Amino acid sequence: MLFPLFLVHFDMRCKSLVIFCFASSLLFFFLFLQGSVVHVSAERVLLPTFGKGKIQVRIYTDYFCGPCGRLEPKMEQLLLNLVKKDKVTVTLIDTPIHAHTMLYARQFLYILKENDEFHHALRTRGVLFEAAKSGITEKERLEEYLRKRKVRFRPFDTKPTYAALNALLAQDRIASTPTCVIYYGDKKGVYKGEREITQALELL
């Protein structure tokens, strides 16, 4: 806008003065202008997904679900081996069946924000299951429980992640826990309960 205005009001009789002012302004611009580049980006989606295998494994659990708590240690080594061998890509999805599950699901994402290694995620999930079994339902008590067990976490905006997780819940039509959905090419298998899920993972 300034440049067209300059052309409109340009007076040829003051050409020398205009050139001098223009050159001076450029010189001052380069000598004295200070600025900084600020990178602004949206919070990335932090899905609890691990591994690089072609077989997609989605495991839906609830920290206050008894069968889920019993299943967790059974499938831990199975999942570690499958991910290590690049056979599967595993997504661990906390399913809010119980009223206090969202507190735990959010805390699990905070833990992943600090350390997203798979073995660490599985270990801390065990700690969260223990906390739920102990009847902890307050944010402050849960955070204190994690600190005592040296589990670090970092809060962040979880809305983009929840949107992605809700899409998976809707796609797989999850109505109960524990549920395991396995995608292998065009094939899809749905397994429910401790026994079915354990057997399905063992077959992989």
Side-chain angles (χ1 to χ4, degrees):
M1 291 178 67
L2 289 174
F3 189 67
L5 285 172
F6 167 76
L7 292 177
V8 169
H9 296 286
F10 180 71
D11 188 348
M12 288 297 295
R13 291 173 296 178
C14 305
K15 184 168 66 174
S16 298
L17 179 62
V18 169
I19 293 173
F20 173 75
C21 292
F22 182 72
S24 300
S25 63
L26 284 177
L27 180 63
F28 275 84
F29 177 83
F30 287 113
L31 289 177
F32 300 107
L33 180 69
Q34 292 185 358
S36 61
V37 178
V38 179
H39 297 281
V40 180
S41 60
E43 189 72 61
R44 73 183 181 92
V45 174
L46 182 63
L47 283 178
T49 299
F50 311 90
K52 301 176 181 178
K54 293 182 179 180
I55 303 174
Q56 298 285 329
V57 178
R58 299 175 185 170
I59 298 174
Y60 297 88
T61 54
D62 185 316
Y63 294 104
F64 292 86
C65 158
C68 298
R70 294 191 295 270
L71 172 66
E72 195 76 15
K74 293 179 182 178
M75 68 178 183
E76 184 173 319
Q77 194 57 48
L78 288 169
L79 292 175
L80 280 170
N81 290 335
L82 289 168
V83 167
K84 185 177 180 180
K85 294 176 181 178
D86 289 332
K87 287 191 173 183
V88 301
T89 297
V90 179
T91 304
L92 305 172
I93 303 159
D94 294 328
T95 309
I97 302 293
H98 190 275
H100 298 290
T101 303
M102 285 303 295
L103 168 64
Y104 281 71
R106 187 180 300 109
Q107 205 64 47
F108 178 56
L109 293 176
Y110 289 172
I111 291 168
L112 287 185
K113 185 69 173 178
E114 183 67 25
N115 185 342
D116 61 358
E117 294 181 1
F118 189 38
H119 66 88
H120 177 74
L122 291 175
R123 183 183 75 82
T124 53
R125 279 173 64 83
V127 175
L128 289 170
F129 271 104
E130 290 173 5
K133 194 174 181 180
S134 301
I136 297 175
T137 57
E138 296 83 21
K139 177 177 177 289
E140 293 74 16
R141 286 187 61 202
L142 180 57
E143 290 180 351
E144 182 183 357
Y145 188 90
L146 292 172
R147 289 191 186 98
K148 286 182 178 179
R149 282 150 185 79
K150 302 187 184 305
V151 177
R152 300 175 64 184
F153 50 88
R154 193 194 321 170
F156 70 104
D157 181 9
T158 56
K159 290 179 183 178
T161 298
Y162 281 138
L165 293 175
N166 286 335
L168 296 180
L169 284 163
Q171 179 184 348
D172 291 334
R173 300 180 180 179
I174 302 302
S176 63
T177 56
T179 298
C180 176
V181 180
I182 299 177
Y183 289 90
Y184 184 55
D186 296 331
K187 297 180 181 179
K188 174 184 176 181
V190 180
Y191 309 91
K192 298 183 179 182
E194 300 172 60
R195 186 175 178 182
E196 273 191 21
I197 295 173
T198 303
Q199 288 177 345
L201 294 177
E202 286 175 343
L203 286 174
L204 293 177

